[in-house]
Amino acid sequence: MKKKEKYSLRDFSVVRGKNIVERADMFQLYIDQLDQDLHRPYYTKSLTGIDGQMVVEDNYTHEKQHVVSFVSNDYLGLSKHPLTIQAGIDALKKYGTGACAAPIIGGYLQIHRDLERKLADFLGYDDAAIFSSGFGANAGVLGALLGKNDIALTDSYVHASVYDGLHQTNVKSIGHNDLKYLELTLKNVVNKYDTKLVIIDGVYSQNGDLCLLPGYLEICKKYNAQLMVDDAHGIGVFGKNGKGTTEYYDMLGEVDILTGTLSKSFGCIGGFVASSKKIIQYLKYYSRTSTFSAAPTPQVTASVIKAIDVISSSSQIREKLWNNVIYMKNMLLDNGYDIKNTVSPIFPIMIKDNYLVKEVALKLMQKGYYAVGICYPAVSNNEARIRTSVLATHTHEDICGFVNALNEVEQELHFKH
């Protein structure tokens, strides 16, 4: 590898002619560059949990710093809601700290089944299955369902966990929200594969925009294809009752396979899939990320059950979230920032430079605002951005302070496009 002035993660993902030890040694060049410029916000330690207000430890000075945070996906603040906390405590006392076995061979608790039924009812499906992570849900579901005689047609912006489940099947990228190309592709493969599974997100995690669900569903039905939607960032946020993107489009339960996470609006950790009873039954025997992984902890399971109750009964939290979303969007647009086509609590503030985005994040942190720069491989090489998530627990003062700090950094670095 030639010596460069500025390295990026892309430079070290694949290095021909080097073994894993040599690649790890070379990667130190990137770490040294980060440290030289104080650009390592990754793995910043929080001393108070992850929400809109945090105390973090500086990676270099090790000093404690109070920050207003825009890095959490706990959109409704349920990770610290008294009811979800108490439900978790009660489950800890009853069941202990862990299930300590895979669900298929002894780790399946009554509350696991209670949560599966509650998720299915909440989202309009026959049944559901839970996983220890949202990543594991997508990877496990797709790894179980698709083989060499099938094809996955993926939106180019789906989450990385989707691709980790597609190693044993055929894959075709259909671009982002490109209905015309999807239909053209399905025409060409209509009789070539046993299963044709179209995979999209409900809300896209980096751009904050919505899928074109009605159009996708119409085309899938026309060509006898199945549709899978990962609604990790939609559930709890969209829809009259917080049931997600499918409720927003008045299509609750119509998507063949719905996956999601328990780590966003539910405020915990884990994942799930909702579908027909027979598909769920099949997945419970063939999904390796479930059958070979310990079951979710009792505390998480009970806290999510209570979180669904709170989402169903407390529309005021969601109203507060959307009030903050509108306030943030107006402030960013009024100040001339490129935030793409977001219609969600996710705001991509475009920087488009893998080095400069780290400098912007550093300057914001120094001013007391924690917002991490996102660059390759999470986004394309020229799509670096400060990704912020607005929460129901933020105040207008938090948001106004952040935008004012961003304006000060812009005057210094001139990153605005």
Side-chain angles (χ1 to χ4, degrees):
M1 177 185 291
K2 293 181 180 179
K3 187 173 179 60
K4 298 176 66 173
E5 182 179 349
K6 297 297 179 187
Y7 294 102
S8 75
L9 283 172
R10 189 174 188 177
D11 296 318
F12 303 95
S13 57
V14 177
V15 182
R16 297 291 298 273
K18 301 292 183 181
N19 64 35
I20 57 172
V21 175
E22 292 167 331
R23 291 204 303 269
D25 286 341
M26 291 177 63
F27 183 64
Q28 189 63 41
L29 292 169
Y30 179 69
I31 298 299
D32 289 344
Q33 173 187 292
L34 291 180
D35 290 342
Q36 177 182 332
D37 297 325
L38 306 181
H39 277 182
R40 196 166 7 160
Y42 311 112
Y43 298 104
T44 295
K45 294 185 288 295
S46 171
L47 307 178
T48 55
I50 312 294
D51 55 18
Q53 302 282 335
M54 296 167 56
V55 177
V56 299
E57 181 182 298
D58 187 280
N59 281 338
Y60 297 101
T61 67
H62 303 295
E63 294 178 353
K64 297 177 182 178
Q65 181 183 6
H66 180 274
V67 295
V68 178
S69 168
F70 291 87
V71 301
S72 173
N73 294 314
D74 182 15
Y75 297 119
L76 303 177
L78 296 187
S79 70
K80 292 192 173 180
H81 194 286
L83 293 178
T84 61
I85 291 172
Q86 188 58 54
I89 291 171
D90 293 343
L92 278 168
K93 291 179 178 178
K94 180 176 181 178
Y95 293 100
T97 58
C100 302
I104 198 169
I105 54 168
Y108 197 46
L109 305 176
Q110 177 61 50
I111 56 170
H112 290 144
R113 187 58 189 149
D114 293 344
L115 175 55
E116 290 171 343
R117 287 183 176 135
K118 201 170 189 76
L119 282 165
D121 290 343
F122 181 63
L123 298 168
Y125 284 90
D126 293 337
D127 207 352
I130 58 174
F131 293 75
S132 296
S133 73
F135 196 107
N138 277 343
V141 166
L142 292 168
L145 294 181
L146 300 179
K148 63 182 181 179
N149 296 321
D150 306 312
I151 187 169
L153 299 100
T154 62
D155 187 287
S156 55
Y157 288 175
V158 292
H159 193 264
S161 56
V162 166
Y163 295 107
D164 275 39
L166 299 178
H167 295 307
Q168 316 249 356
T169 194
N170 304 284
V171 183
K172 177 71 174 176
S173 175
I174 55 175
H176 180 51
N177 274 341
D178 192 338
L179 294 175
K180 289 183 179 179
Y181 189 61
L182 170 64
E183 182 160 18
L184 177 64
T185 304
L186 283 173
K187 280 182 181 179
N188 291 333
V189 303
V190 66
N191 295 315
K192 294 181 180 179
Y193 299 97
D194 296 339
T195 301
K196 299 169 290 294
L197 182 63
V198 178
I199 307 168
I200 61 176
D201 283 3
V203 180
Y204 287 92
S205 63
Q206 294 301 334
N207 287 355
D209 57 334
L210 283 174
C211 69
L212 304 177
L213 183 58
Y216 275 104
L217 200 55
E218 180 182 354
I219 292 171
C220 287
K221 289 179 178 178
K222 182 177 179 180
Y223 293 95
N224 194 30
Q226 280 73 50
L227 179 62
M228 171 174 153
V229 176
D230 175 357
D231 208 20
H233 292 272
I235 294 170
V237 175
F238 282 88
K240 180 180 178 181
N241 301 291
K243 297 183 180 184
T245 309
T246 57
E247 186 186 34
Y248 172 82
Y249 282 115
D250 195 23
M251 305 179 95
L252 203 65
E254 293 186 33
V255 171
D256 299 287
I257 301 168
L258 187 77
T259 62
T261 181
L262 308 178
S263 65
K264 306 295 190 288
S265 291
F266 295 125
C268 290
I269 185 67
F272 70 88
V273 56
S275 189
S276 68
K277 284 187 179 295
K278 289 187 176 179
I279 285 183
I280 296 301
Q281 178 176 260
Y282 183 89
L283 288 170
K284 284 191 170 184
Y285 282 85
Y286 283 98
S287 179
R288 294 170 65 84
T289 55
S290 174
T291 58
F292 293 97
S293 178
T297 67
Q299 172 268 308
V300 160
T301 308
S303 292
V304 175
I305 289 172
K306 184 56 67 174
I308 296 173
D309 291 338
V310 174
I311 291 171
S312 299
S313 62
S314 301
S315 62
Q316 300 94 329
I317 300 176
R318 200 159 45 257
E319 290 167 5
K320 176 64 163 52
L321 170 65
W322 280 104
N323 179 276
N324 284 342
V325 169
I326 293 167
Y327 188 73
M328 176 76 142
K329 188 170 189 176
N330 288 339
M331 284 210 70
L332 289 172
L333 290 176
D334 288 347
N335 283 276
Y337 292 104
D338 179 1
I339 56 173
K340 287 191 166 284
N341 297 317
T342 182
V343 292
S344 73
I346 300 166
F347 289 90
I349 302 166
M350 301 307 294
I351 310 297
K352 299 184 179 180
D353 182 286
N354 288 333
Y355 179 83
L356 188 58
V357 74
K358 299 184 186 75
E359 189 71 7
V360 174
L362 170 65
K363 300 288 186 183
L364 286 170
M365 181 72 94
Q366 290 171 342
K367 295 177 183 295
Y369 295 91
Y370 185 17
V372 174
I374 303 296
C375 53
Y376 180 89
V379 294
S380 301
N381 209 37
N382 61 349
E383 287 282 298
R385 79 279 307 272
I386 297 291
R387 180 193 182 278
T388 61
S389 294
V390 174
L391 312 179
T393 51
H394 282 127
T395 65
H396 281 195
E397 289 75 17
D398 294 334
I399 295 168
C400 186
F402 170 76
V403 177
N404 288 337
L406 192 66
N407 287 338
E408 292 173 5
V409 177
E410 154 62 19
Q411 290 175 6
E412 183 178 350
L413 299 179
H414 306 293
F415 61 80
K416 192 184 293 183
H417 295 278

